[in-house]
Amino acid sequence: MDIKRDILWRVYLSFILMIALGAVVIGRAFFIQHIDGDFWKKKGDSLHLRYMPMDAERGTIYSEDGNMLSTSIPIFDVYVDFGADGLREKNGKRFKDNVDSLSIYLARLFKDKTSAAYKKEMQLAYKNKDRYYTLKKKISFVEYAQLREFPLVKQGRNKSGFIIDPRDKRINPYLLLANRTIGLSRENATKNVGIEQSYDSVLKGKTGQRLMRYIAGGYMPVEGAELEPENGKDIITTLDTYMQDVAENALMKMMVGNNSLHGTAIVMETATGKIKAIANLGKQTDGTYAEDLNYGIGKATEPGSIFKLATLLSLLEDKYVTNNSLVDCEGGMKQFYGLRIHDTHPNQVLTVKEAFAASSNVAFAKMADQYYHTQPSKFIEHLHHLRLDTITGIDITASSGKPLIKKPSNRSWANTTIPFMAHGYEELVTPLHMLMLYNAVANDGKMMKPYLVNAVREYGADIKTIHPQVLVEKICSAETLVQLKECLSAVVDSVHGTGHKILFDSAYAISGKTGTAVTALNNKGYNKGNKIYQASFIGYFPSSQPKYTMAVVIQNSKESKLVYGADVSGTVFKEISDRIYGRFLSSKKFITPSADTTQYNYYGMKNEWSSIFSTLKLPYKDSATGGYWRSTSIKNNTAVLNTPVYTTTASAIIPAVIGMGLKDAVYLMENKGLKVTATGRGRVLSQSLAAGTTFKKGQVITLFLN
């Protein structure tokens, strides 16, 4: 009996405990649901909801003449929520009724897969109830506009499940044009360059926020829960697209034709310091040229003879010499403390002005050594006053552009330092440093700070304007300035001036200085076989009332046929200055000649010419035999078609395309097996590979358009 009672007691106790535990569970569930319910709902949402950043629309970078140099265009990512209520209602009738036609439209628009493939993928995603299915990424606005009118999509987000996620893509509409200076806006802002980097905080605007819900392995936006971003501001640069285009083309033509390694051309507005154009080209491993580094601002090198202007200024300012002082060049060769300095051409006794015009290394090394050997700090102080040892202050970052001017306290200072510095060695400066000096001479002694940005603009109104800034009010006395200008004019005007042959024959006067610096190939030293030449010309025009100052510095290669400053950089300078003068400075107006007295020559396909002449009712005669291509001459309202040179010969012969439009030229070249790159606009002005020569299939040819 006692055993039975003991067992029952234990059963009752267990039963009571189970009832108590159940009551606790029910009570706790009631408490969580009705009393702590709001807290746990918020907690659950916090695990599935997240605010994610929405990038602002990045500001546009404009040229001074109003053209877009870098801008953002909208691109769209397309997702589908196959769990959308409107899409699945009535057992998915809306989806099933539209999937066939939608698949056909998608295949036609994107042309990346068949309609059957699109249908199969969407049916599978529908079956799996994918909540954030990626249909297509990075579609253009034109494609997006068409997509909105497709079956199912046009019924709206709730019924179709289609989610459009817009974002921006950065482009440079002019491609190569000032590409390195403008820079590229990348996803990782630390890798930006140029203006895109320096003005990133202004351009990028203020980031917004979007509430995203985590569903089925991905986040999808919660409609209406957005904090709109604040768009970035626009940048108005000092660049002029015409000058920039001219500078790029002239530099490219010389570098391709002369097989140069890299080069830069910078155009500065004399009175203000505005950079109106800056072209930078470097040779790539495949033989083409691209803006791979800002050589004008970011690369300091030994300047060579263009540095003689700084030496001359020092000597004149200290009253050691005048332009009429005589200096014995000793036949163009002299030993300085065991090291030899020589001239390109033998010179005897010259005036200082003549020595500068003839670019005598011996003369300037002798004068600097004579007057500054025992007082080198005096010479260095002049260079410091000219800011040749100070960063330029231009408003973009150029990490490698720091100058190096030796001081007597440097460990590498030697007896030979002064004579070598005097003619452009044992110091490192950027082309922009030297341009600032030459511009100061052109600007009556006032050194201006170079700058690339005119204004910051928001919604069409300037909110910040950058004004010209004077760095040095007077680089030298008025007397010295007059003599400097005389010497710079003599380089071009004097029969014995190093720039006379290339630059003298102009409709306007040019003043400047040539430079040919010996540089080491791949840092292997200056031994014969390893040395290459850096060609420079820096000057201003028109000489009497300078409007623009320009620096052209080109690093040649061992294969370059032209090496001297005048032949290489002087030629580029002349082409750019001619175009700028004709467009902006010349008072003479171009008069179109009468069509009846002038012969015009064009190139194109035979059938196209026939169509044109028939439409114009212009009589013509086809004197060619066979082939599709014709050269056309028109005179006195009569046209004659001829067989162009090298267009119907063997397949391994390079055709002549000068005078053709780009479409025809590319068609003809690529049919031959050549790879074509082109620069400029209009008709073909020149081609990098000569017509009539042989080539290998896949070889690159560059076409220059005018």
Side-chain angles (χ1 to χ4, degrees), residues 1-8:
M1 199 65 187
D2 291 336
I3 296 173
K4 182 179 180 180
R5 188 182 297 114
D6 185 54
I7 292 172
L8 287 173

Side-chain angles (χ1 to χ4, degrees), residues 530-592:
N530 288 329
K531 64 183 182 181
I532 52 177
Y533 295 90
Q534 177 176 282
S536 307
F537 187 86
I538 304 183
Y540 51 84
F541 63 97
S543 296
S544 57
Q545 293 181 314
K547 298 296 183 183
Y548 299 103
T549 311
M550 192 190 331
V552 181
V553 179
I554 296 175
Q555 180 74 68
N556 297 306
S557 68
K558 290 180 67 176
E559 291 76 28
S560 297
K561 295 180 180 179
L562 303 174
V563 296
Y564 292 116
D567 296 332
V568 180
S569 296
T571 301
V572 176
F573 184 104
K574 178 78 161 51
E575 182 172 342
I576 298 171
S577 62
D578 279 352
R579 300 283 291 276
I580 292 175
Y581 183 84
R583 172 95 172 221
F584 298 103
L585 304 178
S586 176
S587 58
K588 295 180 179 179
K589 300 300 179 184
F590 178 75
I591 301 173
T592 304

Side-chain angles (χ1 to χ4, degrees), residues 7 18 28 42 241 247 504 576 660:
I7 292 172
M18 290 175 64
R28 186 61 181 166
K42 291 178 181 177
T241 48
F504 179 70
I576 298 171
M660 286 187 181

Side-chain angles (χ1 to χ4, degrees), residues 402-418:
K402 189 176 180 180
L404 174 62
I405 299 294
K406 284 187 178 181
K407 295 180 180 179
S409 58
N410 291 137
R411 293 179 60 183
S412 59
W413 188 274
N415 287 332
T416 55
T417 298
I418 285 290

